[in-house]
Amino acid sequence: MCGIIGFIAKDKNENLGEIAYIGLEMLQHRGQDACGVYFSDFEKGEIIKGLGSVDNVLNKENIKKIKGNIFIGQTRYPTTKSKEEAQPLFLENPSICMVHNGHIYNDEEIRKYYEKNNIKFKTGLDLESILFVFSEGYLKEEGNKFKEIEKGVKSVFEKLKGAYSVLGVIDKEILIAFKDPYGIRPLFIAKDKNSIAFASETIALEKLGYEDVEEVENGVVIIVDKNLNILKKEILKKEYKFCSFELVYFSRATSKYRGEQIFEIRKKLGKKLAEIFELKNKNLKIEDYIISPVPETSRAAAEGFCEYFDKRGNLKEVLEKHRYGGRNFIKPSEEIRKKEVFYTLTPIEKNVKGKKIILIDDSIVRGTTSKRMIKYLREYGAKEVHLCITYPPIRYSCFYGIDTPTKEELIAHNKTEEEVAKILGADSLTYMTIEGLKSIIGENFCFACLNGEYFNLE
């Protein structure tokens, strides 16, 4: 899972670096391992990228260098073996630069094909497969640049499996955007009189001053030239399958999906979860419990959970999160994740000692964080700890951009709620049901990590 952003304006902008920084910083939560920007004045292009956070790579000196009319950028969270590399990637002939969010499932197969034809890959990034496949199709239709681009995107749609949202700059002056035929990974577009921008989340566009934001359609390419003329062309559209995990966990609560702030969606999920919890615990007196979110992404759900009980539950914080600790799920290794839990979350003793706690969280993937949290709360004197999760049990691997490569890593795989609760050390565990999730967000989403029903991998 990564964050991508793109921008194009008619007039050269001396503050392009600030625009890039603000947009990428708004997407920092989507990837902390690397950051990069390609920018151009329609004549000369340049890349600035490196490992680390946005403020580390786009320091004051680099921000001043970024000037011109157009840029694309990415914050990277690696889903491939290559963790020490950064986007964007650039092809000199033809002149194509790209960033992407997602995962190419048949990347290895694509690499073998090109290597047999004496085309060498320079990185371990699956974006390189997108670049080569696009460029091959792009060169087949000569004379009309827009037609060439359409051919390139069609080649990508037909040959690549998995999930991807892509932004690219062609010949230093044309900005293109497209999502896979199922629209699994997010991408949004906004425009005003002077510019057009794309981003993985609406909050990045809103913070840049855009008001009207729309979702980029699946299976469609959007081409924007240097005069801000827009060509939108449907290439290959399949059944819409937006990632359900985006709404529950990955996206910022202040981003919007179909006009509704994600905070409100998570609040509704909290209410639904409370209903499921009540059915399982009919004799429980909610007044005797503290209801608490796991910071940061579960606050809305905890609020909704409490509201379901007419606020009879005591909504309080029992854990403080170190604000610079990052998102523990996207740390690069299990060893680091275990250490990160220790210093990113600390119990608030007054709200924990001697208390019965209902802990609301958005999801459990490997269980590392949940197990450690419960252990901490016990050590600080919690009398009971009941865990309630707004996302159903993750029992299957994701091949669309979430870092859950093997089923064996998933704590819920082949286990019941009771078995998982025992492993975690919780008094009880209540998951959202798939039916409950669908009742809030709808049917047209990807639920493959929950039910094993994969698509676009054949």
Short mmCIF file of all heavy atoms in Angstrom, two decimals, residues 341-398:
data_model
loop_
_atom_site.label_atom_id
_atom_site.label_comp_id
_atom_site.label_asym_id
_atom_site.label_seq_id
_atom_site.Cartn_x
_atom_site.Cartn_y
_atom_site.Cartn_z
N VAL A 341 5.70 -1.92 19.11
CA VAL A 341 4.54 -1.96 20.01
C VAL A 341 4.93 -1.46 21.39
O VAL A 341 4.18 -0.75 22.05
CB VAL A 341 3.97 -3.40 20.09
CG1 VAL A 341 2.85 -3.45 21.10
CG2 VAL A 341 3.48 -3.86 18.74
N PHE A 342 6.14 -1.79 21.82
CA PHE A 342 6.60 -1.43 23.15
C PHE A 342 6.64 0.08 23.35
O PHE A 342 6.22 0.59 24.38
CB PHE A 342 7.99 -2.02 23.41
CG PHE A 342 8.57 -1.64 24.75
CD1 PHE A 342 8.12 -2.24 25.91
CD2 PHE A 342 9.54 -0.66 24.83
CE1 PHE A 342 8.65 -1.89 27.14
CE2 PHE A 342 10.08 -0.30 26.06
CZ PHE A 342 9.63 -0.91 27.21
N TYR A 343 7.13 0.82 22.36
CA TYR A 343 7.26 2.25 22.59
C TYR A 343 6.19 3.11 21.92
O TYR A 343 6.07 4.30 22.20
CB TYR A 343 8.66 2.75 22.22
CG TYR A 343 8.99 2.89 20.77
CD1 TYR A 343 8.56 3.99 20.03
CD2 TYR A 343 9.77 1.94 20.13
CE1 TYR A 343 8.89 4.13 18.70
CE2 TYR A 343 10.10 2.07 18.81
CZ TYR A 343 9.66 3.16 18.09
OH TYR A 343 9.98 3.31 16.77
N THR A 344 5.38 2.55 21.02
CA THR A 344 4.32 3.36 20.40
C THR A 344 3.06 3.40 21.23
O THR A 344 2.30 4.37 21.14
CB THR A 344 3.98 2.85 19.00
OG1 THR A 344 3.58 1.47 19.08
CG2 THR A 344 5.16 2.97 18.06
N LEU A 345 2.78 2.39 22.05
CA LEU A 345 1.56 2.35 22.85
C LEU A 345 1.90 2.18 24.34
O LEU A 345 2.66 1.28 24.70
CB LEU A 345 0.66 1.20 22.40
CG LEU A 345 0.06 1.33 20.99
CD1 LEU A 345 -0.60 0.03 20.59
CD2 LEU A 345 -0.92 2.48 20.92
N THR A 346 1.31 3.05 25.17
CA THR A 346 1.53 2.98 26.61
C THR A 346 0.19 3.11 27.34
O THR A 346 -0.58 4.04 27.06
CB THR A 346 2.46 4.12 27.07
OG1 THR A 346 3.68 4.07 26.31
CG2 THR A 346 2.80 3.99 28.55
N PRO A 347 -0.12 2.22 28.27
CA PRO A 347 -1.38 2.31 29.02
C PRO A 347 -1.46 3.56 29.90
O PRO A 347 -0.45 4.03 30.42
CB PRO A 347 -1.36 1.04 29.89
CG PRO A 347 -0.46 0.09 29.16
CD PRO A 347 0.60 0.97 28.56
N ILE A 348 -2.67 4.08 30.04
CA ILE A 348 -2.95 5.20 30.94
C ILE A 348 -3.42 4.59 32.25
O ILE A 348 -4.56 4.12 32.37
CB ILE A 348 -4.00 6.14 30.34
CG1 ILE A 348 -3.48 6.70 29.01
CG2 ILE A 348 -4.33 7.29 31.31
CD1 ILE A 348 -4.51 7.45 28.21
N GLU A 349 -2.57 4.58 33.24
CA GLU A 349 -2.76 3.77 34.45
C GLU A 349 -4.09 4.05 35.16
O GLU A 349 -4.78 3.12 35.58
CB GLU A 349 -1.59 4.01 35.41
CG GLU A 349 -1.57 3.04 36.58
CD GLU A 349 -0.28 3.11 37.37
OE1 GLU A 349 0.63 3.88 36.98
OE2 GLU A 349 -0.18 2.39 38.36
N LYS A 350 -4.48 5.31 35.29
CA LYS A 350 -5.69 5.66 36.03
C LYS A 350 -6.94 5.07 35.38
O LYS A 350 -7.90 4.72 36.07
CB LYS A 350 -5.82 7.18 36.13
CG LYS A 350 -6.98 7.64 37.01
CD LYS A 350 -7.03 9.16 37.10
CE LYS A 350 -8.20 9.61 37.94
NZ LYS A 350 -8.28 11.09 38.03
N ASN A 351 -6.93 4.96 34.07
CA ASN A 351 -8.09 4.44 33.34
C ASN A 351 -8.05 2.93 33.14
O ASN A 351 -8.96 2.36 32.56
CB ASN A 351 -8.20 5.12 31.97
CG ASN A 351 -8.54 6.59 32.07
OD1 ASN A 351 -8.97 7.06 33.12
ND2 ASN A 351 -8.34 7.31 30.97
N VAL A 352 -6.99 2.30 33.64
CA VAL A 352 -6.79 0.86 33.42
C VAL A 352 -6.88 0.05 34.70
O VAL A 352 -7.55 -1.00 34.75
CB VAL A 352 -5.42 0.62 32.74
CG1 VAL A 352 -5.13 -0.87 32.64
CG2 VAL A 352 -5.39 1.24 31.34
N LYS A 353 -6.24 0.49 35.75
CA LYS A 353 -6.12 -0.29 36.98
C LYS A 353 -7.48 -0.61 37.60
O LYS A 353 -8.28 0.27 37.88
CB LYS A 353 -5.26 0.45 38.00
CG LYS A 353 -4.85 -0.42 39.18
CD LYS A 353 -3.85 0.31 40.06
CE LYS A 353 -3.38 -0.60 41.20
NZ LYS A 353 -2.38 0.09 42.06
N GLY A 354 -7.75 -1.91 37.74
CA GLY A 354 -8.99 -2.37 38.35
C GLY A 354 -10.21 -2.25 37.47
O GLY A 354 -11.33 -2.49 37.92
N LYS A 355 -10.04 -1.91 36.19
CA LYS A 355 -11.17 -1.63 35.30
C LYS A 355 -11.45 -2.82 34.38
O LYS A 355 -10.57 -3.61 34.04
CB LYS A 355 -10.87 -0.40 34.44
CG LYS A 355 -10.59 0.87 35.23
CD LYS A 355 -11.78 1.33 36.03
CE LYS A 355 -11.62 2.75 36.54
NZ LYS A 355 -10.46 2.96 37.40
N LYS A 356 -12.72 -2.90 33.98
CA LYS A 356 -13.15 -3.83 32.94
C LYS A 356 -13.18 -3.04 31.63
O LYS A 356 -13.86 -2.03 31.53
CB LYS A 356 -14.53 -4.39 33.24
CG LYS A 356 -14.62 -5.19 34.53
CD LYS A 356 -16.06 -5.64 34.78
CE LYS A 356 -16.20 -6.43 36.07
NZ LYS A 356 -17.60 -6.84 36.30
N ILE A 357 -12.44 -3.53 30.64
CA ILE A 357 -12.22 -2.73 29.42
C ILE A 357 -12.73 -3.46 28.18
O ILE A 357 -12.48 -4.65 28.00
CB ILE A 357 -10.71 -2.43 29.25
CG1 ILE A 357 -10.20 -1.60 30.44
CG2 ILE A 357 -10.45 -1.70 27.94
CD1 ILE A 357 -8.69 -1.51 30.49
N ILE A 358 -13.46 -2.71 27.35
CA ILE A 358 -13.82 -3.18 26.00
C ILE A 358 -12.96 -2.36 25.04
O ILE A 358 -13.13 -1.15 24.91
CB ILE A 358 -15.31 -2.97 25.70
CG1 ILE A 358 -16.17 -3.78 26.68
CG2 ILE A 358 -15.62 -3.37 24.25
CD1 ILE A 358 -17.66 -3.51 26.55
N LEU A 359 -12.02 -3.03 24.41
CA LEU A 359 -11.05 -2.37 23.55
C LEU A 359 -11.50 -2.49 22.09
O LEU A 359 -11.70 -3.59 21.59
CB LEU A 359 -9.68 -3.02 23.75
CG LEU A 359 -8.44 -2.25 23.30
CD1 LEU A 359 -8.31 -0.93 24.04
CD2 LEU A 359 -7.20 -3.11 23.52
N ILE A 360 -11.68 -1.34 21.43
CA ILE A 360 -12.14 -1.32 20.04
C ILE A 360 -10.95 -1.12 19.11
O ILE A 360 -10.19 -0.17 19.27
CB ILE A 360 -13.16 -0.17 19.80
CG1 ILE A 360 -14.23 -0.15 20.90
CG2 ILE A 360 -13.77 -0.30 18.41
CD1 ILE A 360 -15.09 -1.37 20.97
N ASP A 361 -10.80 -2.02 18.16
CA ASP A 361 -9.73 -1.87 17.17
C ASP A 361 -10.31 -2.13 15.79
O ASP A 361 -11.39 -2.72 15.65
CB ASP A 361 -8.58 -2.84 17.46
CG ASP A 361 -7.25 -2.37 16.88
OD1 ASP A 361 -7.24 -1.32 16.20
OD2 ASP A 361 -6.23 -3.03 17.10
N ASP A 362 -9.57 -1.69 14.75
CA ASP A 362 -10.10 -1.82 13.39
C ASP A 362 -9.85 -3.19 12.78
O ASP A 362 -10.64 -3.67 11.98
CB ASP A 362 -9.50 -0.74 12.48
CG ASP A 362 -8.00 -0.58 12.67
OD1 ASP A 362 -7.28 -1.55 12.40
OD2 ASP A 362 -7.57 0.49 13.11
N SER A 363 -8.73 -3.83 13.12
CA SER A 363 -8.40 -5.10 12.48
C SER A 363 -7.31 -5.82 13.25
O SER A 363 -6.59 -5.22 14.05
CB SER A 363 -7.90 -4.86 11.04
OG SER A 363 -6.77 -3.99 11.06
N ILE A 364 -7.22 -7.12 13.01
CA ILE A 364 -6.11 -7.93 13.51
C ILE A 364 -5.53 -8.66 12.31
O ILE A 364 -6.25 -9.38 11.61
CB ILE A 364 -6.56 -8.97 14.56
CG1 ILE A 364 -7.30 -8.31 15.72
CG2 ILE A 364 -5.34 -9.73 15.10
CD1 ILE A 364 -7.88 -9.29 16.71
N VAL A 365 -4.25 -8.47 12.06
CA VAL A 365 -3.60 -9.15 10.94
C VAL A 365 -2.75 -10.30 11.48
O VAL A 365 -3.16 -11.45 11.45
CB VAL A 365 -2.76 -8.16 10.11
CG1 VAL A 365 -2.11 -8.89 8.93
CG2 VAL A 365 -3.63 -7.03 9.59
N ARG A 366 -1.60 -9.99 12.01
CA ARG A 366 -0.74 -11.04 12.57
C ARG A 366 -1.01 -11.27 14.05
O ARG A 366 -0.67 -12.31 14.59
CB ARG A 366 0.72 -10.65 12.36
CG ARG A 366 1.13 -10.53 10.90
CD ARG A 366 2.47 -9.85 10.76
NE ARG A 366 2.90 -9.76 9.37
CZ ARG A 366 2.57 -8.78 8.55
NH1 ARG A 366 1.78 -7.80 8.98
NH2 ARG A 366 3.00 -8.77 7.31
N GLY A 367 -1.56 -10.27 14.73
CA GLY A 367 -1.87 -10.39 16.15
C GLY A 367 -0.78 -9.88 17.07
O GLY A 367 -0.95 -9.83 18.28
N THR A 368 0.35 -9.49 16.49
CA THR A 368 1.50 -9.03 17.29
C THR A 368 1.12 -7.86 18.19
O THR A 368 1.37 -7.87 19.39
CB THR A 368 2.66 -8.60 16.37
OG1 THR A 368 2.97 -9.67 15.49
CG2 THR A 368 3.88 -8.22 17.17
N THR A 369 0.51 -6.84 17.60
CA THR A 369 0.16 -5.64 18.35
C THR A 369 -0.92 -5.93 19.39
O THR A 369 -0.81 -5.51 20.54
CB THR A 369 -0.32 -4.54 17.39
OG1 THR A 369 0.70 -4.27 16.43
CG2 THR A 369 -0.64 -3.26 18.15
N SER A 370 -1.96 -6.65 18.99
CA SER A 370 -3.08 -6.93 19.90
C SER A 370 -2.62 -7.71 21.14
O SER A 370 -3.01 -7.40 22.26
CB SER A 370 -4.17 -7.72 19.17
OG SER A 370 -4.66 -6.99 18.08
N LYS A 371 -1.80 -8.71 20.93
CA LYS A 371 -1.31 -9.53 22.04
C LYS A 371 -0.50 -8.70 23.02
O LYS A 371 -0.67 -8.81 24.24
CB LYS A 371 -0.46 -10.68 21.49
CG LYS A 371 -0.05 -11.70 22.53
CD LYS A 371 0.67 -12.88 21.86
CE LYS A 371 1.01 -13.96 22.89
NZ LYS A 371 1.68 -15.13 22.23
N ARG A 372 0.35 -7.84 22.49
CA ARG A 372 1.18 -7.00 23.35
C ARG A 372 0.35 -5.96 24.09
O ARG A 372 0.58 -5.69 25.27
CB ARG A 372 2.25 -6.31 22.49
CG ARG A 372 3.35 -5.63 23.28
CD ARG A 372 4.17 -6.63 24.07
NE ARG A 372 5.31 -6.01 24.71
CZ ARG A 372 6.02 -6.55 25.68
NH1 ARG A 372 5.69 -7.76 26.13
NH2 ARG A 372 7.04 -5.93 26.21
N MET A 373 -0.65 -5.40 23.42
CA MET A 373 -1.53 -4.41 24.06
C MET A 373 -2.25 -5.02 25.26
O MET A 373 -2.33 -4.42 26.34
CB MET A 373 -2.57 -3.90 23.06
CG MET A 373 -2.08 -2.84 22.12
SD MET A 373 -3.43 -2.09 21.20
CE MET A 373 -4.21 -3.52 20.44
N ILE A 374 -2.80 -6.20 25.05
CA ILE A 374 -3.55 -6.86 26.12
C ILE A 374 -2.63 -7.19 27.28
O ILE A 374 -2.99 -7.02 28.46
CB ILE A 374 -4.26 -8.12 25.57
CG1 ILE A 374 -5.36 -7.70 24.58
CG2 ILE A 374 -4.85 -8.95 26.71
CD1 ILE A 374 -5.91 -8.82 23.76
N LYS A 375 -1.42 -7.64 26.97
CA LYS A 375 -0.44 -7.93 28.00
C LYS A 375 -0.12 -6.68 28.82
O LYS A 375 -0.07 -6.72 30.06
CB LYS A 375 0.83 -8.49 27.37
CG LYS A 375 1.90 -8.93 28.37
CD LYS A 375 3.06 -9.58 27.62
CE LYS A 375 4.11 -10.13 28.59
NZ LYS A 375 4.82 -9.06 29.29
N TYR A 376 0.06 -5.55 28.14
CA TYR A 376 0.33 -4.29 28.84
C TYR A 376 -0.82 -3.91 29.77
O TYR A 376 -0.61 -3.51 30.91
CB TYR A 376 0.53 -3.16 27.82
CG TYR A 376 1.90 -3.08 27.23
CD1 TYR A 376 2.16 -2.24 26.14
CD2 TYR A 376 2.96 -3.83 27.72
CE1 TYR A 376 3.41 -2.16 25.57
CE2 TYR A 376 4.22 -3.75 27.15
CZ TYR A 376 4.43 -2.93 26.08
OH TYR A 376 5.68 -2.84 25.52
N LEU A 377 -2.04 -4.01 29.26
CA LEU A 377 -3.20 -3.64 30.06
C LEU A 377 -3.32 -4.54 31.30
O LEU A 377 -3.67 -4.07 32.39
CB LEU A 377 -4.47 -3.71 29.21
CG LEU A 377 -4.56 -2.67 28.09
CD1 LEU A 377 -5.77 -2.94 27.21
CD2 LEU A 377 -4.62 -1.26 28.66
N ARG A 378 -3.03 -5.81 31.15
CA ARG A 378 -3.01 -6.72 32.31
C ARG A 378 -1.94 -6.29 33.30
O ARG A 378 -2.18 -6.26 34.52
CB ARG A 378 -2.71 -8.15 31.85
CG ARG A 378 -3.69 -8.73 30.85
CD ARG A 378 -4.93 -9.25 31.49
NE ARG A 378 -5.68 -10.09 30.57
CZ ARG A 378 -6.97 -10.33 30.67
NH1 ARG A 378 -7.66 -9.79 31.66
NH2 ARG A 378 -7.59 -11.10 29.80
N GLU A 379 -0.76 -5.97 32.81
CA GLU A 379 0.35 -5.57 33.68
C GLU A 379 0.02 -4.29 34.44
O GLU A 379 0.51 -4.08 35.57
CB GLU A 379 1.63 -5.37 32.86
CG GLU A 379 2.20 -6.69 32.33
CD GLU A 379 3.35 -6.47 31.35
OE1 GLU A 379 3.59 -5.30 30.97
OE2 GLU A 379 3.99 -7.47 30.95
N TYR A 380 -0.79 -3.44 33.84
CA TYR A 380 -1.18 -2.18 34.49
C TYR A 380 -2.44 -2.33 35.33
O TYR A 380 -3.00 -1.35 35.80
CB TYR A 380 -1.37 -1.08 33.45
CG TYR A 380 -0.10 -0.37 33.09
CD1 TYR A 380 0.89 -1.01 32.33
CD2 TYR A 380 0.15 0.94 33.50
CE1 TYR A 380 2.06 -0.36 31.98
CE2 TYR A 380 1.32 1.60 33.15
CZ TYR A 380 2.28 0.94 32.39
OH TYR A 380 3.44 1.59 32.06
N GLY A 381 -2.91 -3.57 35.50
CA GLY A 381 -3.98 -3.83 36.46
C GLY A 381 -5.38 -3.96 35.89
O GLY A 381 -6.36 -3.92 36.66
N ALA A 382 -5.53 -4.11 34.59
CA ALA A 382 -6.87 -4.29 34.02
C ALA A 382 -7.51 -5.56 34.56
O ALA A 382 -6.88 -6.62 34.60
CB ALA A 382 -6.79 -4.35 32.51
N LYS A 383 -8.76 -5.44 34.96
CA LYS A 383 -9.48 -6.58 35.52
C LYS A 383 -9.97 -7.52 34.42
O LYS A 383 -9.90 -8.75 34.55
CB LYS A 383 -10.68 -6.08 36.34
CG LYS A 383 -11.32 -7.13 37.22
CD LYS A 383 -12.38 -6.49 38.11
CE LYS A 383 -13.03 -7.53 39.02
NZ LYS A 383 -14.07 -6.90 39.89
N GLU A 384 -10.50 -6.96 33.35
CA GLU A 384 -10.94 -7.72 32.18
C GLU A 384 -10.57 -6.94 30.93
O GLU A 384 -10.57 -5.70 30.94
CB GLU A 384 -12.46 -7.94 32.18
CG GLU A 384 -12.99 -8.80 33.30
CD GLU A 384 -14.51 -8.93 33.25
OE1 GLU A 384 -15.10 -8.60 32.19
OE2 GLU A 384 -15.11 -9.33 34.26
N VAL A 385 -10.27 -7.66 29.83
CA VAL A 385 -10.02 -7.03 28.54
C VAL A 385 -10.79 -7.79 27.47
O VAL A 385 -10.50 -8.97 27.20
CB VAL A 385 -8.53 -6.99 28.17
CG1 VAL A 385 -8.35 -6.26 26.82
CG2 VAL A 385 -7.71 -6.30 29.25
N HIS A 386 -11.79 -7.12 26.89
CA HIS A 386 -12.58 -7.70 25.80
C HIS A 386 -12.24 -6.95 24.52
O HIS A 386 -12.30 -5.72 24.48
CB HIS A 386 -14.08 -7.57 26.11
CG HIS A 386 -14.48 -8.25 27.38
ND1 HIS A 386 -14.96 -9.54 27.41
CD2 HIS A 386 -14.43 -7.83 28.68
CE1 HIS A 386 -15.21 -9.89 28.68
NE2 HIS A 386 -14.89 -8.86 29.46
N LEU A 387 -11.90 -7.68 23.47
CA LEU A 387 -11.44 -7.08 22.23
C LEU A 387 -12.56 -7.14 21.19
O LEU A 387 -13.15 -8.20 20.95
CB LEU A 387 -10.22 -7.83 21.72
CG LEU A 387 -9.34 -7.18 20.65
CD1 LEU A 387 -8.86 -5.80 21.08
CD2 LEU A 387 -8.15 -8.09 20.33
N CYS A 388 -12.88 -5.98 20.59
CA CYS A 388 -13.92 -5.89 19.56
C CYS A 388 -13.30 -5.28 18.30
O CYS A 388 -12.69 -4.21 18.35
CB CYS A 388 -15.08 -5.03 20.04
SG CYS A 388 -16.03 -5.77 21.40
N ILE A 389 -13.49 -5.96 17.16
CA ILE A 389 -12.78 -5.61 15.93
C ILE A 389 -13.79 -5.25 14.82
O ILE A 389 -14.68 -6.05 14.52
CB ILE A 389 -11.89 -6.78 15.45
CG1 ILE A 389 -10.99 -7.25 16.60
CG2 ILE A 389 -11.07 -6.38 14.25
CD1 ILE A 389 -10.01 -6.23 17.12
N THR A 390 -13.62 -4.09 14.19
CA THR A 390 -14.58 -3.64 13.19
C THR A 390 -14.39 -4.26 11.80
O THR A 390 -15.17 -3.97 10.90
CB THR A 390 -14.55 -2.10 13.04
OG1 THR A 390 -13.22 -1.68 12.72
CG2 THR A 390 -15.01 -1.41 14.31
N TYR A 391 -13.35 -5.09 11.63
CA TYR A 391 -13.14 -5.79 10.37
C TYR A 391 -13.22 -7.28 10.65
O TYR A 391 -12.69 -7.75 11.66
CB TYR A 391 -11.77 -5.43 9.79
CG TYR A 391 -11.62 -5.67 8.31
CD1 TYR A 391 -12.45 -5.05 7.38
CD2 TYR A 391 -10.60 -6.49 7.81
CE1 TYR A 391 -12.30 -5.26 6.02
CE2 TYR A 391 -10.43 -6.70 6.45
CZ TYR A 391 -11.29 -6.08 5.56
OH TYR A 391 -11.13 -6.28 4.20
N PRO A 392 -13.88 -8.05 9.78
CA PRO A 392 -13.98 -9.49 10.01
C PRO A 392 -12.62 -10.17 10.04
O PRO A 392 -11.60 -9.56 9.68
CB PRO A 392 -14.82 -9.97 8.81
CG PRO A 392 -15.58 -8.77 8.37
CD PRO A 392 -14.64 -7.61 8.60
N PRO A 393 -12.57 -11.43 10.47
CA PRO A 393 -11.28 -12.15 10.54
C PRO A 393 -10.56 -12.20 9.20
O PRO A 393 -11.15 -12.62 8.19
CB PRO A 393 -11.67 -13.56 11.00
CG PRO A 393 -13.01 -13.40 11.64
CD PRO A 393 -13.69 -12.27 10.93
N ILE A 394 -9.31 -11.77 9.17
CA ILE A 394 -8.49 -11.83 7.95
C ILE A 394 -7.87 -13.22 7.90
O ILE A 394 -6.95 -13.53 8.65
CB ILE A 394 -7.41 -10.74 7.96
CG1 ILE A 394 -8.08 -9.36 7.98
CG2 ILE A 394 -6.51 -10.87 6.74
CD1 ILE A 394 -7.10 -8.21 8.14
N ARG A 395 -8.39 -14.05 7.01
CA ARG A 395 -8.00 -15.46 6.97
C ARG A 395 -7.25 -15.85 5.69
O ARG A 395 -6.77 -16.97 5.56
CB ARG A 395 -9.24 -16.35 7.11
CG ARG A 395 -9.91 -16.23 8.49
CD ARG A 395 -10.89 -17.35 8.74
NE ARG A 395 -11.26 -17.43 10.14
CZ ARG A 395 -12.43 -17.07 10.63
NH1 ARG A 395 -13.36 -16.60 9.81
NH2 ARG A 395 -12.69 -17.19 11.92
N TYR A 396 -7.16 -14.92 4.74
CA TYR A 396 -6.53 -15.23 3.47
C TYR A 396 -5.53 -14.15 3.09
O TYR A 396 -5.66 -13.00 3.48
CB TYR A 396 -7.59 -15.37 2.37
CG TYR A 396 -8.60 -16.45 2.64
CD1 TYR A 396 -9.77 -16.18 3.34
CD2 TYR A 396 -8.38 -17.76 2.21
CE1 TYR A 396 -10.70 -17.17 3.62
CE2 TYR A 396 -9.30 -18.76 2.48
CZ TYR A 396 -10.46 -18.46 3.19
OH TYR A 396 -11.37 -19.45 3.46
N SER A 397 -4.53 -14.55 2.32
CA SER A 397 -3.51 -13.61 1.87
C SER A 397 -4.10 -12.58 0.92
O SER A 397 -5.05 -12.86 0.19
CB SER A 397 -2.39 -14.36 1.16
OG SER A 397 -1.81 -15.33 2.00
N CYS A 398 -3.49 -11.39 0.93
CA CYS A 398 -3.87 -10.35 -0.03
C CYS A 398 -2.81 -10.30 -1.13
O CYS A 398 -1.62 -10.29 -0.84
CB CYS A 398 -3.97 -8.99 0.65
SG CYS A 398 -4.29 -7.63 -0.51
#
